[in-house]
Amino acid sequence: MKPIIDRTHDATRTSWVASANDPDTDFPIQNLPFGVFSDPVDDIPRIGVAIGDQILDLTTCVEQGLGDSVFATVDEETLQSLFVFAGNDVADLSPASRRELRHALSDALWADHPDVEENKAILSDFLFDADSLQPELPFEIGDYTDFYASVFHATNVGSMFRPDNPLLPNYKYIPIGYHGRASSIVISGTEIRRPHGQIRPNPDAPPEFAPTRSLDYELEMGIFVSGFNELGKVLTMEEAEARIFGLCLLNDWSARDMQAWEYQPLGPFLAKNFATSISPWVVTAEALAPFRTPAFSRPEGDPAPLAYLDGEFNRNFGGFDVTLEVFLLTERMRKEGLAPFRLSRGGFKDLYWTPAQMLAHHASNGCNLRPGDLLGSGTVSGPEKESRGCLLELTWRGAEPLTLPTGETRKFLETGDEVIFRGFCERDGFRRIGFGECRGIIS
């Protein structure tokens, strides 16, 4: 079995929405990511897809019955899922239904469709400038679990605290994760307040309650879950693969000094749950089909995954080839009119554990995953310094401060700093697609 690549991935396909044909857009017709937005006038959330610099309001189009001819090939149940997003009905669609909807959308927006003029006449009234609308969380997120899937990140962090034993013995057998806080997940652009907590700057003195002095970002990807499994029902690797709705950018903000004091013996808590930012657009698994890669190539001597975490499709196509970048824009840089400065560039395919392995392991004890649940990948770091996904690694716990174009230095984030994530996929023979941005400014 291979990923399904069809007419919607054709690199020569263009759209009658002119901005979708810009070679630099993240949202060509080959992408069509899902999201939720609201109009500042009525503040009512609606489902949309991004196309170029526009958003197609699917909810209103279908509710008014004006898309019947455009979506004539889509079954009624799938169309009904577009009416009310609060129920996460779109995330409960089967992969086949999602492909059916994708085909209809792609054909309706295609510049060379036989009925292009009719499609334009119907859909133009439901296209809006993206900048004029307010992005919302793409799902009502019931549960959030954050993993630790990069062996390079785990080794770097372990080296700082356990130089003689960086990786604990379970790491290469089990996808490590912890249960996060769904209520503090926020949409890109939300201001991030510096958290207070217990820190212990002097190891010879008692801790103090104070604002964190070591605020950090973590470059991650979010994996949204599709469908249900009943409590007690485990997932095969094939079932787990079908449960991947799509990916977004994710910033797991972290207070490192709070984390160092509180994480023993039970792991992350207040240092991690004060805010998690995600990008507004979810790039579907169907759109990402051309950019699948083999699972991480384990070095000789590493254990093979246990049987419940192994499968032929995962070995050949379990990874996603997404390039991820982190930029920093300080208050001084904004005043001087400077562009954001790139801190790092890495790849999602460098993860030791694939998204399907994370899903299969999560459900392996019978845990019931639900539509719209979110998994974080953990910090995405690569083997080189320039591919490290957080300041903890880039500055080696503050011992090697970064120097910015203004001459400013950073060990960790300061008030007024804005962190910007970007991600995209490229492959010969296919159109480049992207994820937009995930932003957050520190106050």
Side-chain angles (χ1 to χ4, degrees):
M1 188 172 70
K2 295 182 178 180
I4 297 175
I5 296 175
D6 54 37
R7 65 182 186 273
T8 65
H9 304 103
D10 183 352
T12 66
R13 179 170 282 217
T14 58
S15 175
W16 50 263
V17 179
S19 60
N21 304 321
D22 184 333
D24 294 324
T25 185
D26 276 351
F27 308 124
I29 195 172
Q30 290 80 4
N31 194 344
L32 303 177
F34 277 86
V36 172
F37 65 92
S38 60
D39 188 321
V41 175
D42 60 25
D43 202 31
I44 299 174
R46 309 191 212 357
I47 302 171
V49 295
I51 178 74
D53 61 6
Q54 305 286 296
I55 295 176
L56 177 61
D57 179 355
L58 291 179
T59 298
T60 305
C61 180
V62 174
E63 280 181 342
Q64 295 185 9
L66 299 178
D68 289 352
S69 61
V70 173
F71 301 117
T73 59
V74 179
D75 68 77
E76 185 61 27
E77 183 179 354
T78 299
L79 290 181
Q80 288 288 332
S81 74
L82 301 174
F83 285 1
V84 181
F85 205 80
N88 288 10
D89 291 342
V90 172
D92 196 28
L93 294 175
S94 68
S97 294
R98 296 200 307 262
R99 281 194 297 273
E100 183 180 72
L101 181 59
R102 174 177 169 83
H103 290 164
L105 284 168
S106 180
D107 289 346
L109 293 165
W110 180 29
D112 294 327
H113 192 281
D115 300 321
V116 61
E117 294 304 322
E118 180 182 353
N119 292 337
K120 287 172 66 174
I122 292 171
L123 296 180
S124 290
D125 288 341
F126 303 97
L127 281 170
F128 300 91
D129 290 337
D131 291 341
S132 69
L133 302 173
Q134 174 63 42
E136 308 285 350
L137 288 175
F139 293 93
E140 194 172 87
I141 302 166
D143 279 296
Y144 164 50
T145 301
D146 199 20
F147 282 85
Y148 195 50
S150 166
V151 70
F152 301 109
H153 173 65
T155 302
N156 284 336
V157 174
S159 296
M160 296 175 199
F161 298 94
R162 301 181 304 274
D164 297 330
N165 186 29
L167 277 185
L168 294 176
N170 63 350
Y171 186 85
K172 294 183 177 181
Y173 287 93
I174 184 171
I176 301 295
Y178 71 93
H179 196 83
R181 182 78 185 174
S183 65
S184 55
I185 298 172
V186 297
I187 200 67
S188 172
T190 303
E191 186 178 90
I192 304 301
R193 296 182 181 180
R194 184 179 297 272
H196 287 62
Q198 284 198 26
I199 59 176
R200 195 183 186 191
N202 182 353
D204 297 321
E208 59 185 82
F209 185 80
T212 178
R213 301 172 190 174
S214 305
L215 186 58
D216 201 358
Y217 61 83
E218 288 196 343
L219 174 64
E220 302 193 23
M221 295 213 77
I223 303 148
F224 277 107
V225 175
S226 174
F228 290 89
N229 60 287
E230 295 179 3
L231 186 66
K233 170 70 167 63
V234 302
L235 298 177
T236 66
M237 281 293 292
E238 291 75 16
E239 291 169 333
E241 186 66 51
R243 297 285 298 276
I244 299 172
F245 179 87
L247 307 180
C248 70
L249 304 174
L250 186 150
N251 187 344
D252 182 34
W253 303 94
S254 300
R256 298 302 189 184
D257 43 3
M258 291 167 57
Q259 183 180 0
W261 174 239
E262 74 174 7
Y263 85 102
Q264 301 181 64
L266 294 180
F269 183 35
L270 299 182
K272 292 276 194 176
N273 71 2
F274 59 93
T276 301
S277 299
I278 63 172
S279 55
W281 295 108
V282 183
V283 179
T284 65
E286 290 72 37
L288 292 165
F291 308 103
R292 302 301 296 260
T293 64
F296 185 81
S297 179
R298 298 186 171 206
E300 186 176 351
D302 278 14
L306 297 183
Y308 78 101
L309 295 173
D310 193 21
E312 183 179 357
F313 184 91
N314 190 73
R315 290 193 295 270
N316 294 327
F317 302 106
F320 292 83
D321 191 1
V322 184
T323 298
L324 297 169
E325 298 177 317
V326 180
F327 296 82
L328 182 66
L329 185 63
T330 69
E331 190 170 5
R332 180 175 168 183
M333 291 167 68
R334 281 193 295 275
K335 289 179 179 177
E336 295 182 9
L338 298 179
F341 177 69
R342 192 173 77 188
L343 298 181
S344 68
R345 185 175 191 176
F348 190 55
K349 67 179 181 180
D350 288 333
L351 291 186
Y352 196 82
W353 298 102
T354 67
Q357 287 173 319
M358 296 179 217
L359 264 164
H361 180 66
H362 203 315
S364 64
N365 68 343
C367 176
N368 52 325
L369 301 172
R370 299 171 295 183
D373 283 357
L374 178 64
L375 309 183
S377 65
T379 303
V380 179
S381 293
E384 309 297 334
K385 182 174 183 179
E386 58 268 23
S387 61
R388 294 175 182 173
C390 61
L391 288 176
L392 180 70
E393 292 177 84
L394 281 172
T395 70
W396 208 252
R397 210 181 176 188
E400 303 171 10
L402 301 176
T403 301
L404 304 176
T406 54
E408 300 171 273
T409 60
R410 287 291 185 275
K411 296 179 180 179
F412 291 100
L413 296 171
E414 298 187 7
T415 300
D417 287 353
E418 184 174 23
V419 178
I420 305 161
F421 292 174
R422 295 173 185 157
F424 59 90
C425 301
E426 290 181 317
R427 180 183 168 191
D428 288 345
F430 294 92
R431 182 70 192 272
R432 175 194 180 277
I433 66 172
F435 290 78
E437 292 184 335
C438 183
R439 290 174 170 258
I441 189 168
I442 309 302
S443 65

